[in-house]
Amino acid sequence: MLKIKLVNIDTEEVIAERVKGAYTFWSRFKGLMLTESMPKNGALHIYPCTAIHTFFMKYRIDIIYLNKEKEIVGIEEDMEPGKIGKKFMNVKSVIELPAGMIQSTSTIIGQKVAIVGQE
């Protein structure tokens, strides 16, 4: 089984152990809406995506905004349900994480990440 991880290239830190992709219209549309929770080591990569919202969600999330080179151009922490995310320049995709993951890692704007598969 293929295991997809989110890795901070600059620090070599694994940010999330299990990344799901939302790459079709319907998977991007649904996102995390109506889900009960997100696994502590999980993440959702939404591409293409320039902005997010947390309507119809039941829990808080952290968000990483990426440009086309997968460089972090924006971060939002602990966004509560029912909110609209900030707008950042040059965003091409978004990573949604459980609340607290940004703070528990050394992830900052300007760093690059990789989404890597592993057997």
Side-chain angles (χ1 to χ4, degrees), residues 12-69:
E12 299 180 0
E13 185 174 24
V14 175
I15 300 169
E17 294 278 347
R18 293 184 301 175
V19 180
K20 284 182 65 175
Y23 306 133
T24 67
F25 173 81
W26 290 111
S27 64
R28 291 191 316 269
F29 177 78
K30 182 177 185 268
L32 297 173
M33 288 191 304
L34 305 175
T35 59
E36 292 296 322
S37 66
M38 178 181 267
K40 182 175 172 31
N41 61 352
L44 180 67
H45 180 226
I46 307 171
Y47 174 85
C49 180
T50 59
I52 64 103
H53 68 81
T54 56
F55 299 126
F56 308 107
M57 288 183 57
K58 301 177 181 182
Y59 50 93
R60 296 171 177 263
I61 59 172
D62 287 350
I63 303 104
I64 298 174
Y65 297 86
L66 304 173
N67 66 15
K68 66 181 178 181
E69 289 84 24

Side-chain angles (χ1 to χ4, degrees), residues 45-112:
H45 180 226
I46 307 171
Y47 174 85
C49 180
T50 59
I52 64 103
H53 68 81
T54 56
F55 299 126
F56 308 107
M57 288 183 57
K58 301 177 181 182
Y59 50 93
R60 296 171 177 263
I61 59 172
D62 287 350
I63 303 104
I64 298 174
Y65 297 86
L66 304 173
N67 66 15
K68 66 181 178 181
E69 289 84 24
K70 291 192 175 59
E71 179 183 343
I72 300 170
V73 295
I75 290 175
E76 286 190 271
E77 295 183 62
D78 201 31
M79 181 183 282
E80 63 185 70
K83 300 293 180 185
I84 296 174
K86 294 178 185 173
K87 292 292 269 180
F88 295 95
M89 296 293 291
N90 302 315
V91 174
K92 298 296 181 198
S93 68
V94 172
I95 305 279
E96 296 180 344
L97 299 156
M101 286 306 297
I102 300 293
Q103 191 172 30
S104 70
T105 63
S106 51
T107 305
I108 59 171
I109 292 173
Q111 294 175 331
K112 284 192 174 185

